[in-house]
Each structure stands twice: as structure tokens, then as C-alpha cells.
Amino acid sequence: MNPATPSHRSSLDRRAFLGATVAATAGTALWGTSAAGRAETPDAARLRIGFLGVAYSHAAEKIRLMRTSPDFELVGVWAETEALARTYSEQDVPVLERDELLRRCEVIAVESEVQAHAEHARLALEAGCHVHLEKPPAETMEDFDALVRLAREKDRLLQVGYMWRYNPALRTAFEAAREGWLGDVFLVRAALNNSLDARRRVEWAAFRGGVLFELGSHLVDAIVRLLGRPDRVASFLNTHGGDGDTLADNNVAIFTYPKATAILTSAALQPNAGAHRAFEILGTRGTAVIRPLEPPTLHLDLARAVGPYHAGPQAVPLPAYRRYVDEFPALARAIRSGEPLEVSLDRERDVQETLLRACGVL
């Protein structure tokens, strides 16, 4: 199986890229963790960004990043509740009415609760804003397709916030697969678990697919970006914990391709789960193992020397990494240049469709 979308960086470029990136991170604590983390035009006017909703768990860190971003000017937030409005007001973040926020911003980050993601993204696109949309982007295919159509009609960018798209371990492993250094990829194994607080189980139980939809979607994204749209999807959605709730909390999804299989497990029952989150790519000439995903750690085991790597097992040096830091500069560059985002709307649609198939929605 040849992974989707081949890379063309040479071995020499690869060594130079790693060396330059590690050197750059040594003196940079936040922005600029890679070449992608800097605005191409340092003196360019910052883009006006606002947050439509702040209830999602990723909102606080993204807002902190925007307050110091060289690419964005934080206009303010619209908060769903008085308590959230008070929290951000006490942090000197402007809290605005929704219509004012949409009127004043060029870019909207949707960080509301999952059930409101599609609605808020629609409002932002209708207002003529580019959109960074927290995952999962919609609960139905119809809602997501409507966003894609609207983004195309308005000629606006729609970036879905799957948080590991710029994880250097995943990007380096994907490169090894796409360059053919792992041979023919025949199996991907992925695990993304947590230990969900009992108070949140009812909240997540509202979603078809439960923890697979809300959390496992990050690695559905990775699988589809690596291998493409699967031919078949089979899933086993189980409730093995809790106290009488219906949360699908111990799930397995299997994605089959003409010459490859991907297996994803996603459960809400594992203590200290972060250390065990993993993504493995098995090929006929080598294996790439990422464990844990954060902080990213990558090991290769190759049948022969290839590209910048020697034969046998080896740890791969990676640049420093922090969630969310690179995706926003990538959005800024695309807006300024008029170039498309790295992940196309067609690929975003493949991810959404595959996620909903795994969750039993389609």
C-alpha cells in the first residue's frame, strides 16, 4: 500500500531540515518551534482573530497563544455563559457580543462545545471570515458538507483543528512511509485513550461513537491523511465502564484498504493514558513507532540503510513541540499568500466521512 500524497524532500534536505529545526528551537520557547512557526513577512499586519465560543477544553491554551502571536491580533471572545465571560474578562480578554465579534474579525476560531461547532462555523463563514474549527467539526455529514460548500462559495479557508497535524513524530514517520523507506505499508496500529472523569461521561455519551468520536477522531485524521479514504470500516463500540450510562468507552475501529489495514483503539478507561498513546506504521522494509505522542518520541527499525537513516533500530531526533503552535501560523500564511491549506477540503471531507463511518453514523 502506497500512503496517500507522496513527499519529495531529498535525503540531504531531510538532514538539513532536522538540523535547522533543532537549532531554531533551542532559542525559541513558544513561537517558531519550526520554520513553519514564523510569519513569512515579520512586519505584515497581524490578522484580526476572535473566538466564537470558549467552552471547549482547548480554548484557553489557544487564546493564550493568540495573545502573543506575531501573526494574529486577538480582538476578543464571545462566551457562552456569564461565568465564562467573567473568567476571560478577569484575564483582560475583551468579551464581545457575537455580531460585533463577527463584524470586527477576519478570522474566527470556533472553540464552543462540540454540538455547536458546525453552527458557529457556518455563522463565521457567512460573515466572510476564515475559520479555524475545533474538532470534531460536525456531528453529521450533511452539516460538514454545508460548511465545505459555504467555504468554497465565500472563498474562505476552513481549517479543522486536529491537534497533531504538526506533531514532528507523525510528520517524520509519514515522510518515511511516503518516501518508501518503510517499504509497502501493510498495517497501522493506533491507540488513543484517556481516563474520563465520571462527571463528563454523560456529556460524551451524547455522541454516537462516544470517546472514539470526541477523542479518537485525532487519530482517525492521522490514518486517513496517511492512507487515504478506506474501502471498508468496521467498528466495535462498547460500554464497559461507568455506572449505568451509555458512553461508548472501549472502542475498536478497523479500516481496510486494498493492501493495508489500520486498527484504532480508543477507550476512556485507562489511567495515566498519555504515556501509552501510540501510532505505529508497519511496512515490508521497516517499522515506525511513535510512543508516546506527547512529548513525541519516534523509533524506526529498518531492514536496510535508506534516506538519512541507518539499518536497524534507532531513535529519531525531533524538534521541540507544543500543541497548536504551528497550525495558526500555517493558517496565517495561507490567508496572506492565497495558497490552499496543507489539508484540502476534499481530504477534510474524507476524514469526516471516515470518522462518522467508524462511529456508526454512516
Side-chain angles (χ1 to χ4, degrees), residues 99-146:
D99 290 347
E100 182 183 3
L101 186 77
L102 292 171
R103 185 173 63 252
R104 291 177 55 185
C105 291
E106 302 165 86
V107 184
I108 289 292
V110 174
E111 291 294 331
S112 47
E113 295 287 4
V114 172
Q115 292 88 340
H117 284 179
E119 176 192 357
H120 288 159
R122 176 184 59 80
L123 290 172
L125 288 167
E126 288 177 343
C129 299
H130 302 283
V131 175
H132 171 85
L133 175 56
E134 185 57 73
K135 65 81 200 169
E139 293 185 80
T140 69
M141 205 65 223
E142 292 78 11
D143 284 345
F144 189 72
D145 279 341

Side-chain angles (χ1 to χ4, degrees), residues 12-32:
L12 181 61
D13 288 342
R14 172 72 185 151
R15 295 187 186 98
F17 170 79
L18 280 175
T21 303
V22 172
T25 60
T28 310
L30 185 59
W31 294 103

Side-chain angles (χ1 to χ4, degrees), residues 124-256:
L125 288 167
E126 288 177 343
C129 299
H130 302 283
V131 175
H132 171 85
L133 175 56
E134 185 57 73
K135 65 81 200 169
E139 293 185 80
T140 69
M141 205 65 223
E142 292 78 11
D143 284 345
F144 189 72
D145 279 341
L147 296 180
V148 170
R149 286 194 301 270
L150 190 55
R152 286 174 169 152
E153 290 169 6
K154 295 284 188 177
D155 194 24
R156 301 290 89 178
L157 295 176
L158 175 62
Q159 179 191 57
V160 180
Y162 288 108
M163 66 186 177
W164 289 320
R165 286 182 171 176
Y166 292 88
N167 182 308
L170 282 169
R171 291 176 76 87
T172 303
F174 282 16
E175 179 191 53
R178 289 168 178 161
E179 291 287 355
W181 298 336
L182 302 180
D184 294 328
V185 173
F186 62 87
L187 180 64
V188 170
R189 290 192 295 241
L192 185 51
N193 301 334
N194 71 0
S195 180
L196 190 64
D197 187 284
R199 293 170 295 180
R200 302 202 67 191
R201 289 182 59 92
V202 173
E203 174 191 337
W204 285 25
F207 308 126
R208 291 286 299 275
V211 67
L212 177 61
F213 180 77
E214 216 292 343
L215 180 66
S217 55
H218 284 296
L219 293 188
V220 173
D221 170 67
I223 289 168
V224 173
R225 286 189 297 110
L226 177 66
L227 296 178
R229 182 181 181 275
D231 293 341
R232 293 181 296 166
V233 178
S235 55
F236 304 86
L237 308 174
N238 304 295
T239 300
H240 289 160
D243 186 18
D245 62 57
T246 60
L247 173 66
D249 61 10
N250 191 16
N251 309 307
V252 179
I254 302 172
F255 311 88
T256 62

Side-chain angles (χ1 to χ4, degrees), residues 269-284:
L269 304 171
Q270 185 178 20
N272 305 317
H276 305 283
R277 293 175 173 180
F279 196 91
E280 304 177 14
I281 306 171
L282 284 67
T284 55

